[in-house]
Amino acid sequence: MTYFLFSILFINIFIFVLNKRIATSINLFDKPDDIRKFHKKDVPLTGGFFIYATITAYLVIHKLNLINFNFLSDNELYIYYICATLFFALGIYDDKKNLNANYKLSLTIIIILINIFFDETSTLKRINLSFLPIFDIGSFSIFWTLICYLLFINAFNMLDGINLQTALYSLVLCLIFLIYGFNYFFFISIIISLIFFSILNYKNNSFMGDSGTYLLSYTFSYFFIKSYNYGNIVSADLIVLAMFLPGLELVRVFFERLLIRKHPFSADRRHLHHFLLKKFNLFCTLLIIQSVITLPLIFAIITKNILLPLIIQLIIYTFLVIKYKKLSSFS
């Protein structure tokens, strides 16, 4: 346990101290453009390095038999790490080159299919929601799993637009796994990396970047599916609720962009956090969004009721968008 904590802390302190040098060595900065990006200096896009280095260190510790990793056979472990590495690399390349949205989507699909075809246990074969009949997906399992990955990865990416938001949401997801006792030390490791990143992110000294959002969203998607398939989370209710607000945001922005003939995965300032920032400061904006995500989750975990929190979250989200959208100007 001591070796584990020392290793994870050491690797994060190392990246924390060398944050700017890492970005400089590969020219990985987010530059202000006064259109969508209003920060006043070039900011290192190094959030993904905290997460990737932590995952790598954790898996090395696991392979040395110093700590256990729930359910993962060597094959599952290798496939997860290969795909995580590919997503991390894709994110770095996208951060540097600003890839075309169609290329990003195509490459994302290829990586997910690699995961699905080489690891059958990461495929969804049935849907078990408490308010719907249980039904098998059958021959559509690969397609349905691919859609679930794509929806969450893109929805998660849309949350990354203001400081601390992605980190706070990721902390909430990590806590869900901890509550259910699923890969406890792995998610403790991720929490440590998120804390170190957040210290820099709060002061505009590091952004998560696509390398971080791709890696985190893939990781959470992967382990939600795994925990569901292995029975750690009995039904899909909690997973749906945890991803509901980002999903609503994805659907709304997707169709708004189509209506104005923009690519549905292009970047703009049509997100809820942009609307709220026109009226509130960063702290209040984060408090509102995280409350809408977290409070229904707490209610659902305590009461085992999912339908009411979903309805409440939908109503509050709709109210916030309608009320504050008119304050925002789009680009």
Side-chain angles (χ1 to χ4, degrees):
M1 180 64 176
T2 302
Y3 182 82
F4 158 71
L5 286 175
F6 176 79
S7 301
I8 299 301
L9 286 170
F10 175 80
I11 196 70
N12 280 279
I13 292 171
F14 179 80
I15 296 173
F16 185 92
V17 172
L18 297 179
N19 172 62
K20 194 167 183 179
R21 287 191 181 182
I22 292 171
T24 301
S25 66
I26 56 176
N27 191 27
L28 196 63
F29 290 91
D30 192 53
K31 302 179 186 295
D33 58 14
D34 295 324
I35 299 173
R36 291 190 305 108
K37 305 173 183 181
F38 295 100
H39 42 280
K40 297 179 180 180
K41 62 179 181 179
D42 293 356
V43 179
L45 290 164
T46 48
F49 287 83
F50 284 94
I51 311 301
Y52 184 73
T54 296
I55 291 172
T56 301
Y58 183 90
L59 296 183
V60 168
I61 295 170
H62 165 69
K63 289 303 293 178
L64 293 173
N65 295 318
L66 298 175
I67 199 164
N68 291 325
F69 205 175
N70 292 100
F71 71 64
L72 284 184
S73 65
D74 283 347
N75 179 65
E76 292 174 277
L77 186 66
Y78 297 146
I79 295 303
Y80 163 71
Y81 188 65
I82 288 169
C83 291
T85 301
L86 291 173
F87 271 116
F88 178 60
L90 172 61
I92 291 176
Y93 192 78
D94 189 23
D95 284 331
K96 288 177 66 70
K97 302 295 184 180
N98 194 22
L99 278 174
N100 176 280
N102 289 326
Y103 290 152
K104 284 190 285 188
L105 180 60
S106 299
L107 291 170
T108 299
I109 290 172
I110 290 171
I111 299 172
I112 294 169
L113 289 176
I114 291 172
N115 185 120
I116 292 172
F117 283 118
F118 287 96
D119 180 5
E120 292 183 359
T121 62
S122 65
T123 303
L124 289 166
K125 293 182 171 58
R126 66 174 188 166
I127 299 175
N128 180 18
L129 293 168
S130 61
F131 51 89
L132 291 174
I134 299 175
F135 60 94
D136 291 326
I137 304 170
S139 59
F140 292 98
S141 61
I142 292 177
F143 176 75
W144 177 244
T145 305
L146 174 63
I147 292 299
C148 289
Y149 269 111
L150 287 175
L151 286 174
F152 183 66
I153 288 171
N154 284 284
F156 188 96
N157 192 50
M158 286 189 177
L159 279 181
D160 184 33
I162 58 175
N163 288 354
L164 299 179
Q165 180 152 275
T166 302
L168 288 173
Y169 179 57
S170 297
L171 286 171
V172 170
L173 297 183
C174 286
L175 288 174
I176 292 174
F177 288 106
L178 295 184
I179 289 169
Y180 285 88
F182 183 77
N183 274 325
Y184 187 86
F185 291 112
F186 178 79
F187 287 103
I188 287 290
S189 303
I190 298 297
I191 287 173
I192 291 171
S193 67
L194 289 169
I195 291 171
F196 276 95
F197 163 72
S198 296
I199 295 170
L200 292 174
N201 186 226
Y202 177 71
K203 297 182 178 182
N204 262 5
N205 290 322
S206 177
F207 288 164
M208 184 62 73
D210 287 331
S211 64
T213 56
Y214 283 149
L215 179 56
L216 280 171
S217 57
Y218 164 70
T219 295
F220 287 128
S221 301
Y222 178 87
F223 283 108
F224 268 130
I225 291 173
K226 286 286 189 176
S227 66
Y228 173 68
N229 284 341
Y230 280 82
N232 294 77
I233 297 177
V234 177
S235 78
D237 288 5
L238 200 64
I239 301 174
V240 170
L241 183 57
M243 300 178 174
F244 193 52
L245 188 139
L248 289 173
E249 185 81 337
L250 173 67
V251 171
R252 179 186 62 80
V253 174
F254 183 94
F255 285 105
E256 279 190 4
R257 288 171 179 165
L258 285 180
L259 286 173
I260 61 172
R261 300 189 177 186
K262 286 188 66 175
H263 194 288
F265 296 121
S266 59
D268 56 29
R269 295 179 64 82
R270 296 177 173 271
H271 303 292
L272 177 60
H273 50 258
H274 293 133
F275 303 159
L276 294 175
L277 280 173
K278 292 290 183 177
K279 179 68 175 179
F280 305 105
N281 61 24
L282 176 64
F283 176 79
C284 289
T285 298
L286 291 169
L287 181 62
I288 291 169
I289 294 175
Q290 296 306 318
S291 295
V292 175
I293 293 172
T294 306
L295 295 180
L297 274 170
I298 294 172
F299 180 85
I301 291 171
I302 294 173
T303 66
K304 309 299 182 183
N305 182 303
I306 181 68
L307 199 52
L308 181 59
L310 280 174
I311 294 171
I312 291 173
Q313 201 172 67
L314 174 60
I315 292 171
I316 295 174
Y317 174 80
T318 304
F319 167 79
L320 291 173
V321 170
I322 292 173
K323 183 173 177 60
Y324 295 107
K325 181 179 176 180
K326 61 185 178 183
L327 297 175
S328 182
S329 59
F330 302 129
S331 58

